[in-house]
Amino acid sequence: MNDLPDNVTPFPHAASQNAEIPAGEVRVMVPDTSILVTSATHAVALTGDGEILEDTPVELADIYKAEIPPILVHSPSVAKRMGLQSPRRCYDLLELFAFVKPAAFCLPTPGGIMQACGLEDSWELSSYPVGLHRVVSTLLEQFSLTGSRPDTRRILWSMTRDGWLWGPYLLAAIGEDVGQDNNVKSPMSGLDVWKALPEWEEQPPPPPPGTYPVEPTEARQRLADLLGQRAEDRPSQSDFSSAVSEAFTNPESEDMPRFVMAEAGTGVGKTMGYIAPASLWAEKNQTPVWLSTYTRNLQHQIDDELNRLYPDETIKQDRVVLRKGRENYLCLLNYEDSVRGSSLPGRTVGLGLMARWIAATRDGDLSGGDFPSWLPDLIGQAQSVGLSDKRGECIHSACNHYSRCFILNSIRRARYADLVVANHALVMIQTVQGGLDRDGRANRVVFDEGHHVFDAADSAFAAYLTGREMWELRRWLRGNESRARKSRIRGLKTRCEDLLGEEVQAIEALEHVLHASRILPNENWTQNIGNGQPQGPAENFLYMIHELVLARANNTDGPFSLEIPAVDMPEKLLDVATELEEALMAIFKPVIKLREGLMRRLDEKSDTLDSSTRGRIEQVAQSLEFRCSHLLGAWIEMLKALKMEATQPTELFVDWLGIEKISGRPVDVGYYRHWLDPTKPFAGVVAKNLSGVLLTSATLTDGSGDVDTDWARAEERTGANHLPDFATRAKVPSPFDYPNQTKVLVVTDVRKDDLDLVGAAYRELMLASGGGALGLFTAISRLRAVHERIVKPIEQQGYPLYSQHIDALNLPTLIDIFRAETDSCLLGTDAVRDGVDVPGDSLRLIIFDRVPWSRPTILHKARKNEFGGAKYEDMLTRLKLKQAFGRLVRRGNDKGVFVLLDPMMPSRLAGAFPEGVEVERVGLADAIQQIKGFFPDH
């Protein structure tokens, strides 16, 4: 091979040629096989003979399928680009990276892995194979220095015996003889990493919280201290910090929190602006403040910002905690169960990579942080993110991993932290369940991305009587019922039987719950309904809904979910609803008795129960209340309403029957209920139970032209109008010079229903900006059609094109790649606008395929009628455009162009854009020339 380091020796493919690797001598040896790199339209291979091959991915597919697999990056993506049905096991450099540098960040691209290894990235496809050869040698050299720990060796031996391709080369790097067993006695040797994790030690309860207010001058001073003397002078940021400090003063009445609504234009420095008073409140009163976001992306951005406040990582570890729902964390018991059942060939490889990450992770978070988002693509969902506790089946202190549990560790740490970075959904659920912490100490919340409180409340307070939800409840109650396959699911009996003691009534209630829950849909419910053979009252109900929706809905063969109003119900369906109501009541009543028995035992045995058992009883009782009785109660009320309101919709709720589809495939069916105004329960259950609330966003208010109306709409969207007193309003404009830093162009000569013309417009606009473009679509089908038309010409000009729903990568990874590759382009759906934070030159053009009007669902039409008709529709659309536009300029020297390919955009939507920015209606040719002139260096 060309230009290889002197200390690197190519070595035959160990797995296929049974090569002997010398023992004792530490050597860095690279597999003697091809190195393959692909883009969407090009492929380059460096063969073992040193020959460079260049062609389309399809034409070089034989290299991917060769007897000796190639070295590459992200095998699933390469396979997809080559038109292959499924990926194969290759020398995937991401696997090697995940083993050698666990919990380290790496983009799953050739350039990304080169940068992560400290190598210079040339950004040229043809040079990547040689660069990847250097990546192999670099990682193996690093491992030769760090990989000699006994626990690492045991994991490596287990993975090698299971056929991991990289195993022999890593063993050689630490001087091991691959022909020896090296005392590996079982397939799970080394995988029991939980034994080495630190254990949590109980601490004395934190002191009662204080009530010392934060004055505006104190907030300004704290901000100045955080930023330092060399920081850029930003008066607007100091003004914002001063204004929002009111949320950290004491309320004057019991049912009215200090409720502050603050809009901060992009560039104000909103995050540090509220961190200043929040951190000061926490320190003065020795109680945590919760900082809540809607997206995980912002959650981790806030965590990064907090490095300014706590530059010492050890101190930050104590003062700052990221909290997410338990479904986001690895469950050590699930991992152990998977390890003990890892007798199938190939399973140890994935578990070994997970073991390396578990030993290195900061907090066990599988949905961000230090977990490689691309790892599930390589080892499968079941052995990675599938190891989280998604079913609420935790057995708490009865678990052997209780004192090491990542989930409980984050909960415990949050009690003693200053700042807890969470998300809206968790905050609402925790508040409903009795408080943000078990002591009730945390009573101040900052809702960043406050414009999403409405959506978060909409999800949190909805109720679905559907097949998937009922099946989940059955699994939670009854555990694994399948004899055909093993499962980690534990039922209610396993979780609480030993806690009941001699409580005869509670024991009988448990048996009644388990017996009555057999009426819930079983794991074959989708097939039963599809075959017209429902079993039991629950499946009968679902089957009748399924048939009624297909009979009444329009476009039943289309890709979108189907729905019909829950009115004018057939008598036969109402009879089945009555039967299901009675069956659910037969579960509900003994659940109440079981919970009462647990609470009675907690009271009567208070002097003899140890703290561990007491904690388990409390947890099971809480789970029965919120995971079971509340859910069953909501379902029973829905069934009553279906009969009572068969011809008249309810006033508080919007009900409908539907078939949910994902990518055109039915995944659920049932009866759906949402609050007409979900901010009512938000204000009544969440906000009123807090002492201070700050809602902040760059897009809190609309741009209708009437300031008072815009604030009134913002209060409707946040629940402030349901509070007994007025909220405090604050607005700090952006410091950016939008008229000179941005352009807004509405293209008037491209028919939005002609996808050939739309595709051509995307192509020419992206080429005009020299890449750095984000294309947003209102429908996945339109995205796919445009991608097919533009991918080849875009990439032929040297601009990588990535696409949601097409590339074999998840959205967070695609955004990371887009951010790193300055001239790349990204296609995504309208919702991507919330997850993209790309400062600098990487995002300089946004193209919207058409005005993002809301889909006319039953729920949307009901809210449109309730909240002002066409004005409500316009408000939602302006806010979407405002949020998308706000992605363009994130720093003082950023420039950007916003293009809308919809000549039908009404002028009343122009309020979405900052004052002074002219909305120009131009032809495509003019738009192209303006973009070229706006970006002369590209």
Side-chain angles (χ1 to χ4, degrees), residues 21 115 125 174 192 294 338 357 370 386 507 576 664 689 704 746 753 793 796 849 904:
I21 296 180
Q115 289 184 324
L125 192 71
I174 56 175
D192 51 352
Y294 186 67
S338 190
W357 175 76
D370 56 24
I507 295 171
V576 173
N689 285 318
S704 70
V746 177
D753 58 342
Q796 282 176 339
D849 70 326
M904 302 301 292

Side-chain angles (χ1 to χ4, degrees), residues 1-24:
M1 294 187 181
N2 300 326
D3 301 323
L4 302 185
D6 295 336
N7 63 334
V8 176
T9 306
F11 201 83
H13 174 65
S16 64
Q17 300 185 18
N18 297 317
E20 294 184 4
I21 296 180

Side-chain angles (χ1 to χ4, degrees), residues 146-452:
T146 62
S148 58
R149 288 170 51 98
D151 53 347
T152 304
R153 287 172 179 257
R154 287 196 297 271
I155 296 172
L156 179 54
W157 272 107
S158 293
M159 295 171 67
T160 304
R161 289 180 58 181
D162 198 35
W164 191 36
L165 296 180
W166 287 113
Y169 302 93
L170 287 164
L171 288 171
I174 56 175
E176 292 283 303
D177 183 355
V178 75
Q180 300 294 322
D181 281 343
N182 198 41
N183 298 320
V184 178
K185 298 179 181 179
S186 72
M188 63 170 284
S189 179
L191 302 182
D192 51 352
V193 288
W194 58 82
K195 294 180 179 178
L197 294 178
E199 295 190 50
W200 172 270
E201 294 183 359
E202 285 295 338
Q203 299 182 35
T211 57
Y212 298 103
V214 175
E215 300 297 334
T217 53
E218 292 180 295
R220 289 181 186 270
Q221 185 59 52
R222 167 53 67 96
L223 178 65
D225 294 342
L226 288 176
L227 299 179
Q229 293 182 350
R230 296 183 180 180
E232 176 186 358
D233 186 25
R234 301 165 87 175
S236 59
Q237 186 179 32
S238 184
D239 291 343
F240 174 80
S241 190
S242 173
V244 302
S245 65
E246 184 174 332
F248 302 97
T249 58
N250 293 310
E252 296 179 358
S253 63
E254 184 179 1
D255 58 351
M256 180 62 196
R258 290 292 188 180
F259 198 97
V260 178
M261 301 172 60
E263 181 171 277
T266 304
V268 166
K270 165 170 55 70
T271 304
M272 292 306 296
Y274 64 67
I275 284 175
S279 60
L280 194 55
W281 168 270
E283 291 176 13
K284 291 176 72 172
N285 297 292
Q286 299 186 56
T287 185
V289 174
W290 282 50
L291 312 178
S292 180
T293 75
Y294 186 67
T295 59
R296 294 170 181 166
N297 185 47
L298 182 57
Q299 209 172 348
H300 290 282
Q301 285 181 41
I302 293 173
D303 182 47
D304 291 339
E305 289 275 9
L306 287 169
N307 291 331
R308 293 193 190 187
L309 180 61
Y310 305 114
D312 187 317
E313 183 60 34
T314 303
I315 295 175
K316 183 183 176 185
Q317 185 74 6
D318 292 333
R319 300 288 186 86
V320 178
V321 176
L322 262 70
R323 277 291 316 274
K324 299 180 182 179
R326 60 174 53 246
E327 69 277 3
N328 293 283
Y329 296 92
L330 179 116
C331 169
L332 289 171
L333 184 56
N334 283 346
Y335 171 76
E336 181 186 358
D337 286 350
S338 190
V339 166
R340 297 191 184 282
S342 61
S343 57
L344 296 176
R347 289 189 51 140
T348 303
V349 174
L351 292 171
L353 294 177
M354 287 299 294
R356 291 283 288 162
W357 175 76
I358 291 168
T361 180
R362 166 187 170 186
D363 54 14
D365 181 3
L366 291 166
S367 64
D370 56 24
F371 182 73
S373 59
W374 39 260
L375 191 56
D377 302 338
L378 308 184
I379 66 176
Q381 300 275 326
Q383 290 192 331
S384 53
V385 292
L387 297 175
S388 65
D389 178 18
K390 285 186 166 57
R391 307 176 187 91
E393 57 189 26
C394 180
I395 57 177
H396 305 286
S397 59
C399 177
N400 293 331
H401 305 290
Y402 182 74
S403 59
R404 305 182 182 95
C405 177
F406 291 122
I407 304 166
L408 296 178
N409 195 22
S410 72
I411 295 172
R412 293 172 182 133
R413 288 177 54 227
R415 295 180 64 202
Y416 300 90
D418 285 352
L419 300 173
V420 180
V421 187
N423 56 70
H424 296 349
L426 180 64
V427 168
M428 293 182 191
I429 292 170
Q430 290 285 111
T431 308
V432 169
Q433 294 183 357
L436 296 175
D437 55 33
R438 73 184 190 190
D439 307 305
R441 299 172 65 252
N443 56 23
R444 292 295 195 287
V445 177
V446 176
F447 289 98
D448 201 342
E449 297 180 304
H451 60 279
H452 278 305

Side-chain angles (χ1 to χ4, degrees), residues 26 52 69 102 270 280 391 435 483 619 655 658 726 739-741 812 916:
V26 175
I52 295 287
K270 165 170 55 70
L280 194 55
R391 307 176 187 91
R483 297 180 180 178
Q619 291 287 348
D655 294 355
F726 294 107
N740 290 314
Q741 291 180 257

